Amino acid sequence: MIKKESKPDRREYTLMIVPHQGQAVRMIRIPIVAVKYAVSFLCLLIVFAIGSFINYRYTINTANVEKAELETLRQDNGVQSKEIEELAKTTASLKSDMERLNSLDAEIRRIVNNEDTTATSRAGLVRPSATYTGQGGPVQPDIDTIKNTVQDLQAAISVREQSLNELKQALLDKQSRIAITPSIWPTGGEVTSRFGWRNSPFGGGSDFHPGIDIANSVGTPIVATADGEVVQSEWYGGYGNMVQISHGNGISTVYGHNSRLLVRVGQAVKKGEVIAYLGNTGASTGPHCHYEVRVNGTAVNPTTFLN
């Protein structure tokens, strides 16, 4: 039982404790100031507890938000890592494409190795003139820029490869035409008779000479002046041991007065391949090679074909 005393000079609370029967009553006096302090302290403690709880909740929420943001960043980094990995693969593929194009370029340069050029590289390969536009700097381009660059490279590679393949085919066609065109000398030696009308070496006035005569020692190699197919390899009247080769497009060549023939009818021969040995067979006044070029069966001046 608590009894409040109203003495003006002693403001306090009296706490009266009534024990069981037979025991003395106990009284505890508590100054009101102490009660106020206790209540104030309790209020402060409650406020502190509430503040701590609020701060704890705020910290937890902040941590959750940061965790979510971190997870989002990790996901974004993961996506970017995959994109970079794909770009790396694409770049590797582009590198392989460029290497293939370089090989194609080298192959084309080998094809045109004997063509007239304006410049030659240190490696001996013909290089076209180019405008250099290389740039750089310390700034790392972003992924969008890299993607755009890769797309541009892919498009450029496709166009360049198509162009090089067309060039290669054109050069191969030209090479094939050159290969079947009689453009080299059949043998070395001295030209003793040219194409056209001449004083006959056998007397009796002039005659028409359908080829050129190249004199040299017996046994000197005779070569095919172009790729083709042997259509005649036999003794043939005044030509003696003769070889005739068809080169296509109505062009054929004739090699007469040979000492020995090395090819047979139907055999494919290449330009520069030895087909016979120089001799003095048939209507001949000495060892030489009689060489003719025929177009659609008509003999023409061989010197118009010779380099």
Side-chain angles (χ1 to χ4, degrees):
M1 178 179 170
I2 299 176
K3 180 180 179 182
K4 181 178 180 182
E5 294 187 358
S6 58
K7 292 182 179 180
D9 54 342
R10 295 184 60 186
R11 295 175 59 84
E12 60 182 16
Y13 288 98
T14 300
L15 180 61
M16 181 180 294
I17 301 175
V18 180
H20 296 289
Q21 186 177 2
Q23 293 182 351
V25 176
R26 298 179 59 189
M27 296 182 65
I28 299 176
R29 299 180 184 278
I30 302 175
I32 193 170
V33 175
V35 174
K36 290 180 178 181
Y37 285 155
V39 171
S40 298
F41 176 77
L42 182 60
C43 290
L44 290 174
L45 186 61
I46 292 173
V47 170
F48 177 77
I50 293 173
S52 298
F53 178 76
I54 293 173
N55 183 68
Y56 171 76
R57 295 297 301 175
Y58 175 79
T59 302
I60 293 298
N61 291 336
T62 302
N64 289 335
V65 170
E66 291 178 350
K67 182 179 180 180
E69 291 177 350
L70 180 60
E71 184 63 27
T72 301
L73 288 175
R74 287 177 178 174
Q75 293 177 356
D76 292 341
N77 287 336
V79 172
Q80 287 188 349
S81 296
K82 290 182 179 179
E83 291 180 348
I84 292 174
E85 183 178 357
E86 291 300 322
L87 286 175
K89 292 180 180 179
T90 304
T91 303
S93 177
L94 289 176
K95 182 179 179 182
S96 176
D97 291 339
M98 290 303 297
E99 290 176 352
R100 188 177 70 255
L101 289 178
N102 288 337
S103 298
L104 181 60
D105 180 84
E107 183 178 356
I108 292 174
R109 304 310 167 189
R110 284 193 295 271
I111 292 174
V112 297
N113 188 45
N114 294 325
E115 296 289 331
D116 292 336
T117 61
T118 58
T120 304
S121 69
R122 294 192 185 113
L125 296 177
V126 178
R127 300 295 182 186
S129 60
T131 300
Y132 300 101
T133 58
Q135 298 179 358
V139 179
Q140 181 72 21
D142 56 28
I143 290 182
D144 291 336
T145 301
I146 296 175
K147 287 181 178 178
N148 292 334
T149 301
V150 170
Q151 291 175 356
D152 292 342
L153 283 174
Q154 288 173 330
I157 285 174
S158 178
V159 171
R160 184 182 178 193
E161 183 173 22
Q162 180 179 356
S163 176
L164 287 175
N165 279 322
E166 292 173 355
L167 176 60
K168 176 184 176 182
Q169 188 58 49
L171 291 173
L172 288 175
D173 293 342
K174 182 178 180 180
Q175 188 180 61
S176 297
R177 290 194 298 271
I178 292 174
I180 62 175
T181 301
S183 57
I184 63 174
W185 289 81
T187 190
E190 181 181 354
V191 176
T192 55
S193 183
R194 298 188 178 277
F195 176 84
W197 290 97
R198 66 177 182 174
N199 292 324
S200 174
F202 306 106
S206 63
D207 64 2
F208 184 81
H209 189 229
I212 58 175
D213 292 338
I214 306 170
N216 209 327
S217 301
V218 173
T220 301
I222 306 297
V223 300
T225 58
D227 292 358
E229 180 182 344
V230 178
V231 294
Q232 193 173 1
S233 181
E234 60 183 349
W235 181 278
Y236 190 69
Y239 285 93
N241 288 323
M242 185 191 81
V243 174
Q244 183 176 182
I245 301 174
S246 174
H247 306 288
N249 298 322
I251 299 175
S252 62
T253 51
V254 174
Y255 312 79
H257 308 303
N258 301 294
S259 61
R260 185 156 66 98
L261 306 179
L262 303 179
V263 293
R264 63 184 183 279
V265 174
Q267 180 177 340
V269 294
K270 292 291 185 181
K271 177 181 288 190
E273 181 178 345
V274 178
I275 57 173
Y277 291 115
L278 188 146
N280 189 29
T281 60
S284 171
T285 62
H288 73 282
C289 171
H290 172 82
Y291 175 62
E292 291 183 23
V293 176
R294 298 175 181 176
V295 178
N296 296 324
T298 300
V300 298
N301 191 345
T303 58
T304 60
F305 288 85
L306 295 174
N307 292 328

